[in-house]
Amino acid sequence: MRTLDNGLSPARRASRGLAARRACPPGEQAQLPLPKDREDPAALLRAEDASRLPELVPVRHERMLASPFAHFRGSAGAMARDLAAGPVSGLGVQLCGDAHLSNFGLFASPERRLLFDVNDFDETTPGPWEWDVKRLAASLVIAGRDNGFDRKARRKVVVATVRRYRDAMVQFAGMRQLEVWYASADFAEINKLLESKLSKAGRRRVDKTVLRARGSDSLKAMRKLTWTVDGQRRIKADPPLVVPLTDLLPDVDREALEQRIRDLLRRYRRTLETDRQVLLDRYEYVDMARKVVGVGSVGTRCWVVLLQGRDEHDPLFLQVKEAQRSAVAPFVPRPLRASHSPANEGKRVVDGQRLMQAASDLFLGWERVEGMDGARRDFYVRQLRDQKGSFAVERMVPRGMRHYGELCGWTLARAHARSGDAIAIAAYLGEGDDTFPKAIGKFAERYADRNERDHRRVSEALRPGGLAAVAAG
């Protein structure tokens, strides 16, 4: 991916942003045109189900029906289809592709600093920077409605978030390249800034979240996910969410699948840095299970693998997750698309994550493996838990969500500045100009209305016989 022409001076790059501003005025970003031949959301869901494990499709439906926000979380591709019908600036970055507010959170860097960053990259692909901003903004409105915020409160949250994105992009536009690359959201420093802004109850919630994140590691996962059977550590069953391999397949098939995953881990090793290969070699395979994760990802193939270091009190849990084609990529305007299709979808996810995050998981890598059905599938690998933590969106009050949104806005701008042209994007936004933030405030409310309609339509279709009627129609 190449989104920055180093042959251009800063002045020329700013002129490029101003030209984009004239071609697509920021105020027009409030528009939400209806795509031609917009596919019924229930039919789209049914099409996506085709690549999922059939026995897990009901779990996916149940999670998506829980609320309009849950439906939104599982509909990144549907939103990209809608965005493709609207205006774009023509300035590209590496997109997260699914930058809703619950896909930001805490995790530990390899140096054991607690960072706040984007933490989900299944849909990452090159594309228009404003698509990530619009998905974040829409998620704030949808979550705010779920929490009972009135329209004025929701607007304040969104406008504050997008202003923070704008101001951060202006800041990054004035930095040297290495300064942008080294920028990170160290949560110890963020927490100090939040102390004076949050209520006592808000500070307590933040402190609890940090404590939970600090305690979330492989030892905690071992206590929660495993037990001892005949003197051996084994992953506990919690069907259909966690199904050990011993419960999933008969002996012959189980041994064959286990060998495939072992081979995957052995080959995946080459995608790590040399020092991390040495570290991985110090662990031995113990057990594995199929695990359900997320909302939109439910039904894709995901394994949790238990490894052991010096003894049973030295565990390492790796998550081996299927990487399908980005649901966003097909809708990206042709000039901003990747120059070629990824050779491996797992590598696409890993490359996007490494490009957007300030620091990435020690064991992040990828591989391709042939399944029991003969199909070849791509996977990426990372630690299951490494001081990961997320904030309870459903308990946020307007003031807390505004501060959280601003933190997400800064983080997203930093991620975009690493791959895109911060100078051009900053020029497009305009320093101190509220046109774009206010336009996105209007867009987010409009998209929340559309999401609610889609949620109702899918809910109706998922009644007994509903999807069958959609398929017949």
Side-chain angles (χ1 to χ4, degrees), residues 455-472:
H455 177 245
R456 286 195 298 270
R457 173 68 184 115
V458 170
S459 298
E460 293 167 358
L462 290 180
R463 293 171 182 165
L467 278 180
V470 171

Side-chain angles (χ1 to χ4, degrees), residues 8-9 29 64 98 101-102 131 144 157 191-192 257 260 324 351 365 378 411 431 436 442 470:
L8 295 180
S9 67
Q29 299 276 8
M64 287 188 67
D98 193 15
L101 77 168
S102 290
W131 283 17
V157 169
N191 214 5
K192 291 179 182 177
L257 181 55
R260 280 179 165 84
Q324 299 186 349
D351 287 348
D378 296 337
T411 301
E431 185 172 359
F436 183 76
K442 295 176 182 177
V470 171

Side-chain angles (χ1 to χ4, degrees), residues 256-257 260 301 368-377 379:
L257 181 55
R260 280 179 165 84
R301 292 144 187 88
R368 176 171 292 159
V369 67
E370 184 175 302
M372 299 294 290
D373 57 359
R376 296 180 66 81
R377 295 184 177 88
F379 290 83

Side-chain angles (χ1 to χ4, degrees), residues 11-150:
R12 291 284 299 278
R13 288 160 61 190
S15 295
R16 181 169 172 251
L18 292 173
R21 184 181 173 96
R22 289 190 294 272
C24 176
E28 293 184 2
Q29 299 276 8
Q31 297 175 7
L32 181 59
L34 189 68
K36 295 179 180 178
D37 302 321
R38 186 177 192 260
E39 191 171 2
D40 182 276
L44 188 62
L45 177 65
R46 185 176 183 275
E48 292 175 347
D49 288 343
S51 66
R52 311 296 169 114
L53 293 165
E55 65 270 29
L56 295 180
V57 166
V59 178
R60 183 180 188 228
H61 292 174
E62 181 182 1
R63 291 190 175 185
M64 287 188 67
L65 291 182
S67 68
F69 183 60
H71 173 267
F72 180 80
R73 288 184 60 179
S75 304
M79 185 171 186
R81 170 203 56 196
D82 290 339
L83 291 172
V88 293
S89 66
L91 304 174
V93 297
Q94 182 71 28
L95 289 176
C96 164
D98 193 15
H100 64 73
L101 77 168
S102 290
N103 275 344
F104 293 76
L106 302 173
F107 61 89
S109 73
E111 299 78 24
R112 318 321 294 150
R113 292 188 301 134
L114 196 62
L115 303 178
F116 182 89
D117 214 326
V118 189
N119 60 13
D120 189 297
F121 298 89
D122 286 4
E123 313 304 344
T124 187
T125 188
W129 60 273
E130 57 263 56
W131 283 17
D132 273 351
V133 177
K134 288 180 175 180
R135 186 148 176 84
L136 173 58
S139 73
L140 290 165
V141 170
I142 294 165
R145 290 184 180 186
D146 278 1
N147 289 4
F149 300 177
D150 62 29

Side-chain angles (χ1 to χ4, degrees), residues 11-319:
R12 291 284 299 278
R13 288 160 61 190
S15 295
R16 181 169 172 251
L18 292 173
R21 184 181 173 96
R22 289 190 294 272
C24 176
E28 293 184 2
Q29 299 276 8
Q31 297 175 7
L32 181 59
L34 189 68
K36 295 179 180 178
D37 302 321
R38 186 177 192 260
E39 191 171 2
D40 182 276
L44 188 62
L45 177 65
R46 185 176 183 275
E48 292 175 347
D49 288 343
S51 66
R52 311 296 169 114
L53 293 165
E55 65 270 29
L56 295 180
V57 166
V59 178
R60 183 180 188 228
H61 292 174
E62 181 182 1
R63 291 190 175 185
M64 287 188 67
L65 291 182
S67 68
F69 183 60
H71 173 267
F72 180 80
R73 288 184 60 179
S75 304
M79 185 171 186
R81 170 203 56 196
D82 290 339
L83 291 172
V88 293
S89 66
L91 304 174
V93 297
Q94 182 71 28
L95 289 176
C96 164
D98 193 15
H100 64 73
L101 77 168
S102 290
N103 275 344
F104 293 76
L106 302 173
F107 61 89
S109 73
E111 299 78 24
R112 318 321 294 150
R113 292 188 301 134
L114 196 62
L115 303 178
F116 182 89
D117 214 326
V118 189
N119 60 13
D120 189 297
F121 298 89
D122 286 4
E123 313 304 344
T124 187
T125 188
W129 60 273
E130 57 263 56
W131 283 17
D132 273 351
V133 177
K134 288 180 175 180
R135 186 148 176 84
L136 173 58
S139 73
L140 290 165
V141 170
I142 294 165
R145 290 184 180 186
D146 278 1
N147 289 4
F149 300 177
D150 62 29
R151 188 182 183 94
K152 184 177 180 181
R154 298 193 304 265
R155 178 177 173 78
K156 285 183 177 179
V157 169
V158 172
V159 171
T161 297
V162 182
R163 278 176 180 157
R164 190 71 184 96
Y165 178 94
R166 176 202 65 198
D167 293 345
M169 192 61 74
V170 170
Q171 179 186 19
F172 292 126
M175 289 183 176
R176 293 179 291 115
Q177 297 298 342
L178 281 177
E179 289 178 324
V180 174
W181 209 259
Y182 289 144
S184 64
D186 188 307
F187 203 75
E189 298 176 8
I190 293 169
N191 214 5
K192 291 179 182 177
L193 295 175
L194 289 176
E195 284 181 357
S196 61
K197 297 182 177 181
L198 296 176
S199 64
K200 289 183 179 180
R203 290 197 298 271
R204 283 196 298 269
R205 285 193 291 270
V206 170
D207 290 343
K208 287 181 180 179
T209 299
V210 171
L211 284 174
R212 283 196 300 269
R214 287 293 188 192
S216 179
D217 57 15
S218 285
L219 281 172
K220 182 176 180 180
M222 183 181 73
R223 291 191 293 269
K224 181 178 180 180
L225 297 177
T226 73
W227 56 10
T228 302
V229 179
D230 298 329
Q232 297 291 321
R233 183 68 64 177
R234 290 289 180 260
I235 298 175
K236 291 189 291 189
D238 181 20
L241 304 183
V242 180
V243 183
L245 194 57
T246 52
D247 297 346
L248 195 62
L249 294 169
D251 289 347
V252 175
D253 289 341
R254 183 183 72 241
E255 292 172 4
L257 181 55
E258 181 179 302
Q259 188 57 51
R260 280 179 165 84
I261 297 298
R262 284 174 178 262
D263 291 343
L264 181 151
L265 291 174
R266 185 163 50 249
R267 295 193 306 271
Y268 130 85
R269 175 185 181 278
R270 65 179 170 75
T271 67
L272 303 176
E273 297 292 337
T274 303
D275 59 332
R276 300 174 188 190
Q277 295 179 17
V278 172
L279 176 59
L280 183 64
D281 290 344
R282 294 175 183 261
Y283 289 88
E284 295 183 352
Y285 173 90
V286 176
D287 198 13
M288 63 179 285
R290 190 181 71 190
K291 191 175 189 301
V292 172
V293 294
V295 177
S297 296
V298 175
T300 58
R301 292 144 187 88
C302 182
W303 303 94
V304 55
V305 181
L306 170 60
L307 306 176
Q308 178 177 299
R310 56 176 291 172
D311 55 33
E312 67 171 327
H313 303 294
D314 183 16
L316 171 64
F317 283 90
L318 294 180
Q319 182 185 76

